Amino acid sequence: MKLKLDLHEIYNRGDKIEGALQAVIDEAIDKKAPVVEIIPGKGSGQLKKRVLRFLDRKDIKALYHRVEKDSDNFGRVFVHFRWK
């Protein structure tokens, strides 16, 4: 199972972005999903930077195993979880 969050629809609504990111991380934890795919899109790169800053927060970083930036598609980030 892979969860997916496409931020294209809310890219210009800053207040909703963090909520959507938190919700997909929480859902991944609840469902023990191995991977979450986040699509900030290509654009200017500002939304991707915002996503990476969110994922780099100490409280969020403790929840996942690693982040992978897709080398084939600049507008995509994978968050990997490790479940025991």
Side-chain angles (χ1 to χ4, degrees), residues 19-67:
L21 289 168
Q22 185 69 57
V24 80
I25 295 291
D26 291 344
E27 184 179 355
I29 291 167
D30 289 346
K31 294 182 176 177
K32 297 212 181 302
V35 179
V36 172
E37 178 182 354
I38 301 173
I39 304 172
K42 295 180 182 175
S44 68
Q46 293 305 308
L47 186 53
K48 183 176 180 179
K49 285 180 187 172
R50 185 168 185 169
V51 168
L52 293 174
R53 273 196 309 268
F54 174 84
L55 293 172
D56 203 38
R57 284 182 12 198
K58 195 174 185 177
D59 59 324
I60 301 300
K61 208 172 195 173
L63 302 174
Y64 64 85
H65 173 56
R66 69 185 174 94
V67 170

Side-chain angles (χ1 to χ4, degrees), residues 3-36:
L3 297 177
K4 188 176 192 177
L5 173 63
D6 189 341
L7 294 174
H8 282 100
E9 307 222 346
I10 58 171
Y11 74 94
N12 61 352
R13 299 207 311 261
D15 56 322
K16 302 240 184 231
I17 292 169
E18 281 207 19
L21 289 168
Q22 185 69 57
V24 80
I25 295 291
D26 291 344
E27 184 179 355
I29 291 167
D30 289 346
K31 294 182 176 177
K32 297 212 181 302
V35 179
V36 172

